Structures are given as structure tokens and as C-alpha cells.
Amino acid sequence: MTTCEKIRTINANGEEWLRRQYRPSGPMMMHKTAYVEYVPFGVLGVIAPWNYPFHNMLNHIISGLFSGNAVVSKCSEHTSWSSDYFGRIVKAALVECGHDPDIVQTVTGFGEAGSALVSSSYVDKIIFTGSPGVGRLVMEGCSKNLKPVILELGGKDPM
């Protein structure tokens, strides 16, 4: 239900949210124009946890594709089968809409797979959901190349 609402909301509002937004530049800069413009990063690397595999995977694929990015999603080793299945659904939808299905990829594996995604020169931004301890490692890995990173840290993994 949450993922369906995300799709509905992005379809209804996404273009407006991504539209260039003009801002006041102040009286000292009245001869200038200021605006915020959103541009795609290129390739997003998503490292998703095991809980809620459908939403945690598709959440970033939906917004990533809508904003013009390709997405590589590294799922938890505990959700390999379901993530592969969900990835096939996404690829079929892309083909049906006339897009290249290879703009979304699913990677499975242990920490080494996530580390490879973080250190890859082909990945332009990392989105990580997980524990503070692993989040620190992800941030450290991204800092070596000043790669933008989003960390959603919870640390409630009972496993």
C-alpha cells in the first residue's frame, strides 16, 4: 500500500516538484536571477535492509528513475529471491513503457557487495538504510571520492 501511494504521489506531483524554482536574490543582487534546479546524478547505488524488501527496494527505484537516474539496488542477502522477483517486475514495466530495462539492476550479496557499490566509480550517489555502525563505513567509503551519500540509520536489526 505504501509503495502504491508513492507511485501515485510521484505521478501526480513529481514534475511540479522537479520543476525549476525561482528564488528572491535580495536587493544587492537585483540584477541577478536565483533558482533551484534539480539535475540527475547519473547512477544511484541503493543499499537496502532486509525488512520490507518490496518497499525498501522500489522506494528508491521509483524516485530515482523519475528524477532521471539509473539505479543499482543492493538488497540484503536475506531477500535475494524476492528482490530478484521485484526487479523483474520493474524491468517488465520499463520494457512496456518503451524504456531500457537495464537502467535498473539488482545486486545481491554480503558486505563485500555493498562495499563494491560504494567504491565503484560508476556509481554517483549512495543511499543506505541500516545500522549506524555500517553507516559509518558507508560514509567513510563515500568520503574518499566526495561521493554524495544519504544515510537512514536505525540500528534495530534483530538479526
Side-chain angles (χ1 to χ4, degrees), residues 8-122:
R8 188 203 66 75
T9 302
I10 292 288
N11 283 334
N13 303 300
E15 287 185 49
E16 180 183 340
W17 292 343
L18 293 176
R19 192 172 294 133
R20 181 185 291 183
Q21 300 170 358
Y22 288 89
R23 306 288 167 90
S25 55
M28 296 301 292
M29 302 292 280
M30 69 174 87
H31 62 287
K32 300 281 186 178
T33 302
Y35 59 87
V36 174
E37 183 174 36
Y38 298 96
V39 294
F41 277 94
V43 178
L44 303 180
V46 177
I47 303 173
W50 63 273
N51 60 341
Y52 308 109
F54 183 72
H55 179 71
N56 285 336
M57 181 179 171
L58 264 61
N59 177 39
H60 301 297
I61 290 174
I62 293 164
S63 54
L65 289 176
F66 196 89
S67 58
N69 298 288
V71 181
V72 178
S73 182
K74 189 270 181 208
C75 63
S76 165
E77 63 277 7
H78 301 294
T79 62
S80 297
W81 181 88
S82 59
S83 295
D84 179 60
Y85 180 76
F86 302 147
R88 288 193 309 246
I89 292 171
V90 170
K91 287 178 179 281
L94 288 167
V95 167
E96 187 65 29
C97 293
H99 300 290
D100 182 355
D102 291 334
I103 60 173
V104 173
Q105 295 294 322
T106 304
V107 177
T108 189
F110 295 101
E112 296 82 16
S115 179
L117 202 58
V118 168
S119 64
S120 173
S121 61
Y122 297 109

Side-chain angles (χ1 to χ4, degrees), residues 40-45 69-70 117-118 120-127 142 145-149:
F41 277 94
V43 178
L44 303 180
N69 298 288
L117 202 58
V118 168
S120 173
S121 61
Y122 297 109
V123 176
D124 301 298
K125 183 175 184 173
I126 294 290
I127 301 169
C142 289
N145 297 311
L146 297 179
K147 185 179 295 188
V149 61

